[in-house]
Amino acid sequence: MGKGKYSLINGVYKRLKNDLNWTNINNPKNINVITLYANNGTGKTRLSKCFQEIAEDQTLCYDAFFEDYFYWDNKNNLFKIDKESWVFKVIKDQGLNSKIIDNFREITDTKVEPDINTDTGDIFFRISNNYSPSQYKIKISRGEECVFVWSVFYTILEIGIELLNENEEDRSTDIFNKMKYIIIDDPVSSVDDNRIITIALKITKIILKSGDKFNYLITTHHPLFFNVLFHKNKDTWNKKNYILSKTQTEFKLKKQPTESPFAYHHTVVSEIQRAINDNNLKKYHFNLFRTLLEKTANFVGNSDWKTCLNGIEANEDFLKIIDHYSHDKLSELEYSNLLDVQIETYKSVFTAFLNKYNFMEE
């Protein structure tokens, strides 16, 4: 059978596991990260199951099976967690309630707030600062539900990293001691594009925070999510990108070494335009704009992205802001608000840029 072709999903698993175990002699502390794009039904969930079954003690996995620990009690309007699960035990024993709430609120950026009862496993959702009965046990959207479950996993991963920074004999639990592989399968189902980018940035942040403790396989069917991760931190990680496809007889694993297979510039334009329309521009949108300018400059044969703004009323301060925010810490880019003058300048420059290069609206 040819290179990159496998009759069974186990063959894909072995190939990716070898990549995750690869050691860079020149920089052995680099993190191995794989981003993999595959359409639904191709085998992403089965791939995550391979890691859980074959490398069970070494794998922490977010996938459909993790999501199944959570379910709705529609009669009582409660979201519940399986009290017999290891997830519930970690939340309770490590006191993760408040950290989960913080991570959920950072991503949703709404007044919705969860409250986890670590005795019963019941999860209430309420409108923050409004405790009237009609606003206490609310039914959240499917997207918010996905974000909440992801926030639980993300918080568990955070606490795992913190514990592994302690001496082994001082750790409050030993469940993370053998962990080696972090598998993240599509944490963005039913999530809107703004939150997709935020989740991708938070994943980048946690990977950098984990140092050499874990290696990561991130799989998705969402082009925007794949694109954001594809273009992040190439110099910091040992980074490999793949497209997984399936025919009736075999799986095909195709490398994407340099360019994303998707029209990244159109994806970014749509995301920025949506943020402008929703009055939801954040500092990381400067980062996206900078990447878009770089790709446009490369396409038209220029080496400097600033040439794309020639003839556009973009003052030096604006150019410095783009440059600064594009190299700033991720934690400072995610949720910080912009000044009104920055927002108006951004809108003006971005619109002029689209007109100059004849970008078509979707």
Side-chain angles (χ1 to χ4, degrees):
M1 185 169 293
K3 184 178 180 181
K5 298 180 180 180
Y6 309 90
S7 59
L8 297 172
I9 195 67
N10 279 39
V12 179
Y13 158 76
K14 290 176 182 178
R15 170 65 183 276
L16 297 179
K17 187 179 178 184
N18 284 339
D19 285 349
L20 292 175
N21 289 336
W22 182 75
T23 300
N24 183 345
I25 298 175
N26 296 320
N27 190 357
K29 290 190 176 182
N30 263 2
I31 310 161
N32 292 333
V33 179
I34 297 173
T35 51
L36 181 146
Y37 179 86
N39 290 320
N40 285 332
T42 305
K44 293 188 287 82
T45 302
R46 280 181 288 166
L47 186 59
S48 69
K49 195 65 174 174
C50 283
F51 274 91
Q52 292 179 80
E53 291 177 346
I54 302 173
E56 180 180 3
D57 292 341
Q58 296 178 307
T59 302
L60 181 63
C61 186
Y62 178 93
D63 60 2
F65 298 102
F66 186 90
E67 293 173 348
D68 285 345
Y69 291 128
F70 302 83
Y71 59 95
W72 277 103
D73 174 359
N74 289 316
K75 182 179 179 180
N76 297 302
N77 213 26
L78 290 173
F79 199 46
K80 299 178 74 71
I81 181 172
D82 181 359
K83 285 184 63 179
E84 303 303 316
S85 68
W86 69 270
V87 177
F88 180 78
K89 178 174 172 56
V90 172
I91 293 172
K92 184 174 183 177
D93 291 351
Q94 300 299 318
L96 301 184
N97 200 338
S98 61
K99 290 186 177 180
I100 292 170
I101 292 171
D102 289 343
N103 282 319
F104 175 81
R105 293 178 70 179
E106 283 180 349
I107 297 173
T108 56
D109 195 26
T110 68
K111 293 183 179 180
V112 176
E113 183 174 289
D115 186 3
I116 306 170
N117 187 320
T118 51
D119 292 323
T120 65
D122 295 340
I123 303 165
F124 301 88
F125 291 92
R126 63 180 176 224
I127 302 298
S128 181
N129 300 322
N130 187 341
Y131 297 95
S132 63
S134 62
Q135 297 294 312
Y136 185 65
K137 292 165 61 175
I138 64 171
K139 182 73 178 280
I140 59 174
S141 69
R142 173 62 179 158
E144 289 169 326
E145 177 187 327
C146 291
V147 170
F148 175 78
V149 176
W150 165 251
S151 298
V152 172
F153 179 85
Y154 186 89
T155 306
I156 290 173
L157 180 53
E158 276 188 316
I159 197 67
I161 293 169
E162 291 177 12
L163 289 171
L164 291 178
N165 282 327
E166 299 178 1
N167 294 326
E168 187 169 336
E169 61 272 15
D170 296 331
R171 296 169 190 167
S172 55
T173 178
D174 61 0
I175 67 169
F176 301 102
N177 287 2
K178 297 180 180 179
M179 289 293 179
K180 186 175 182 180
Y181 309 110
I182 307 300
I183 314 301
I184 299 172
D185 176 27
D186 256 340
V188 294
S189 298
S190 303
V191 178
D192 64 70
D193 286 355
N194 281 335
R195 291 171 182 171
I196 284 173
I197 290 181
T198 302
I199 290 172
L201 288 172
K202 283 182 73 67
I203 289 175
T204 301
K205 179 180 176 182
I206 200 73
I207 290 173
L208 293 172
K209 184 178 179 181
S210 68
D212 60 350
K213 295 175 178 60
F214 302 122
N215 294 316
Y216 292 79
L217 170 62
I218 307 164
T219 65
T220 185
H221 75 289
H222 199 290
L224 175 60
F225 185 64
F226 181 85
N227 267 324
V228 174
L229 291 170
F230 184 97
H231 290 280
K232 293 303 293 181
N233 293 80
K234 292 181 179 179
D235 296 331
T236 306
W237 306 336
N238 294 321
K239 188 77 160 51
K240 294 188 178 180
N241 309 283
Y242 290 101
I243 304 297
L244 178 66
S245 59
K246 182 179 180 295
T247 65
Q248 289 185 342
T249 59
E250 64 186 12
F251 294 91
K252 294 182 179 180
L253 196 60
K254 180 183 178 183
K255 262 190 175 183
Q256 296 292 323
T258 55
E259 284 298 322
S260 170
F262 305 106
Y264 181 76
H265 52 290
H266 289 303
T267 306
V268 171
V269 168
S270 296
E271 157 58 21
I272 293 175
Q273 193 63 64
R274 187 178 294 106
I276 289 174
N277 294 341
D278 295 343
N279 196 28
N280 194 36
L281 280 173
K282 302 291 184 181
K283 286 186 177 180
Y284 66 75
H285 287 104
F286 280 87
N287 190 299
L288 291 180
F289 194 10
R290 164 70 178 266
T291 303
L292 180 62
L293 290 167
E294 288 174 344
K295 289 194 167 295
T296 304
N298 182 64
F299 179 76
V300 298
N302 292 326
S303 60
D304 187 352
W305 60 268
K306 294 179 183 178
T307 59
C308 293
L309 299 180
N310 288 345
I312 296 175
E313 204 169 312
N315 59 38
E316 282 299 315
D317 288 341
F318 183 78
L319 298 179
K320 289 178 181 178
I321 289 173
I322 290 183
D323 204 35
H324 173 67
Y325 286 171
S326 297
H327 295 89
D328 214 341
K329 294 180 181 178
L330 284 170
S331 58
E332 296 172 2
L333 291 177
E334 292 180 47
Y335 314 108
S336 302
N337 293 323
L338 296 168
L339 300 175
D340 288 343
V341 65
Q342 292 175 330
I343 292 173
E344 293 307 314
T345 304
Y346 189 109
K347 291 178 182 178
S348 174
V349 173
F350 181 69
T351 300
F353 166 78
L354 295 186
N355 291 335
K356 178 178 179 179
Y357 289 96
N358 297 314
F359 278 88
M360 295 180 64
E361 292 187 14
E362 292 185 357

